Amino acid sequence: MSGIGAADVPGLTASLRERGGAFATKLELYQPRDAAIEAEFAAEGWLPAKASQYRFAVIVDLSRGSEAAFADMKKRARAEIRVGERNGVAIERGEVDGPDASEMIELVRATEERSGAFFRDDEYLRRVWSRFAESGNGRLYLARHDGQVVAGAFVVRFGRNAWYKDGGSTREFPHLMASRLLQWRIMQELAEEGVEAYDLGHVPPPGYDHPAGRGILIFKSAFASDIVEYLPAYLLPHEPGADEWRRGEGAFLAGYRAETGDYWY
C-alpha cells in the first residue's frame, strides 16, 4: 500500500508545487478509499482525474495462513477447489521463456478473445514476465490435466504483498475447475513464504450487472467476501491548461487506443 495519510498531503503538495517543467502532476495511490485523505487532497487543490489502474479489487488475506484463508472463502470456492483436486489437475511452476511462456501466451489470447479483456502484445508480456522473474519478484504457474496446459497465472510479489497480474484458461474443460485450484495452490505457496495480502486484481464495482464483467466478479469474489475500493486518481494543476487535459484525457486515450490498438500508458 502507498501508506499516505491525510496529514502527509499538505507537505506532498508543497514539494510538488516547487517542481517546474510540467503543466500538472498526476497521482494514483494504491490504498483503500479514505474520506479524510480525499478531503485533504481537495483542500490542497487536487482534482479528480481518470485512473489508469483498476479501482475495485478482491484481496485475499493470507496473514493468518492459507488454512484460515480457505475457511474464509465462500462455500462455492472451497467445493470447486476440491473438484479440481479430484479431477487430478496438477499445478506447477513454469519457465518464462520457451514452451511454458508460449503456452501461457496462448491461454492469454484465448481468454482475451472469449472475454473481451485487453492484454498487451506478446512481446510486451514476455518482456515483463522475464524482468520480474529475473529479479525474483515474478512467477509463472501452470495447471495441467493429462499433460495438457489448461490454465495459467503470472504472479508478482513485492514484500508482503502479491498480485495476480496475468492469467488465462482454455474454454474446453470448465468442469475441471483448474483455475480455481490454480489460485488456491498459489495462495498456499505465498502464505508459506510470508505474503500477507494477495490482490486478485480488477473486478467490476459492486452492483455492476453487465454480463461482460459478471464472470470475473463471480470467480474472484468467491475467494474473499469484501471488495476493496481504492482511492481515485488525482491531478494537481501547475498551469492553466492542466484542467483542459484533465477533462479531455478520457477522449484522448480512447482515440489513441482506437488508432493504435494499445494503451497510451
Side-chain angles (χ1 to χ4, degrees):
M1 297 299 175
S2 303
I4 291 179
D8 302 316
V9 176
L12 172 66
T13 306
S15 66
L16 290 172
R17 288 193 186 281
E18 295 173 0
R19 301 177 65 180
F23 66 84
T25 297
K26 187 174 180 180
L27 182 66
E28 295 192 49
L29 299 172
Y30 179 68
Q31 59 191 81
R33 194 162 192 175
D34 183 296
I37 295 176
E38 289 187 274
E40 200 62 41
F41 271 113
E44 291 294 324
W46 292 80
L47 302 172
K50 181 177 177 59
S52 61
Q53 304 298 320
Y54 51 84
R55 290 289 311 284
F56 296 88
V58 171
I59 300 179
V60 179
D61 179 8
L62 298 175
S63 63
R64 295 174 292 123
S66 59
E67 292 308 312
F70 187 82
D72 289 341
M73 293 178 191
K74 294 179 181 177
K75 182 179 179 180
R76 179 180 69 253
R78 296 195 299 269
E80 290 175 354
I81 287 168
R82 296 186 180 107
V83 169
E85 292 172 334
R86 289 197 299 270
N87 282 326
V89 175
I91 311 301
E92 62 185 40
R93 291 267 198 98
E95 299 295 331
V96 293
D97 51 17
D100 288 345
S102 296
E103 289 186 292
M104 179 63 175
I105 291 288
E106 290 182 11
L107 294 172
V108 166
R109 296 306 166 206
T111 301
E112 182 178 43
E113 182 177 353
R114 181 174 69 245
S115 67
F118 176 81
F119 292 88
R120 300 278 190 169
D121 62 70
D122 294 1
E123 181 56 32
Y124 178 95
L125 292 176
R126 290 178 183 273
R127 187 166 61 250
V128 169
W129 297 343
S130 294
R131 293 289 177 84
F132 275 110
E134 288 167 4
S135 69
N137 294 317
R139 298 172 184 170
L140 175 62
Y141 294 87
L142 298 174
R144 294 185 186 271
H145 184 260
D146 290 338
Q148 179 180 351
V149 174
V150 293
F154 189 80
V155 176
V156 173
R157 177 182 172 181
F158 184 78
R160 297 187 180 276
N161 298 283
W163 293 263
Y164 173 34
K165 185 187 178 302
D166 298 309
S169 63
T170 62
R171 193 174 190 174
E172 288 78 10
F173 310 103
H175 63 283
L176 295 176
M177 298 300 167
S179 294
R180 188 70 78 184
L181 181 61
L182 173 65
Q183 290 296 335
W184 169 231
R185 291 287 184 260
I186 291 170
M187 292 172 197
Q188 288 178 301
E189 187 169 293
L190 292 174
E192 288 173 3
E193 296 173 350
V195 170
E196 297 180 354
Y198 179 38
D199 188 332
L200 293 174
H202 166 75
V203 295
Y208 184 89
D209 59 1
H210 193 283
R214 290 295 300 170
I216 196 68
L217 178 61
I218 291 171
F219 177 75
K220 292 181 179 180
S221 63
F223 286 116
S225 57
D226 294 330
I227 295 176
V228 176
E229 180 180 5
Y230 292 117
L231 282 165
Y234 290 103
L235 184 138
L236 179 65
H238 301 314
E239 296 180 1
D243 194 49
E244 182 179 353
W245 161 257
R246 184 182 72 91
R247 289 182 281 108
E249 182 180 8
F252 171 80
L253 296 177
Y256 181 86
R257 183 176 176 187
E259 182 177 344
T260 67
D262 200 357
Y263 286 129
W264 175 257
Y265 48 63

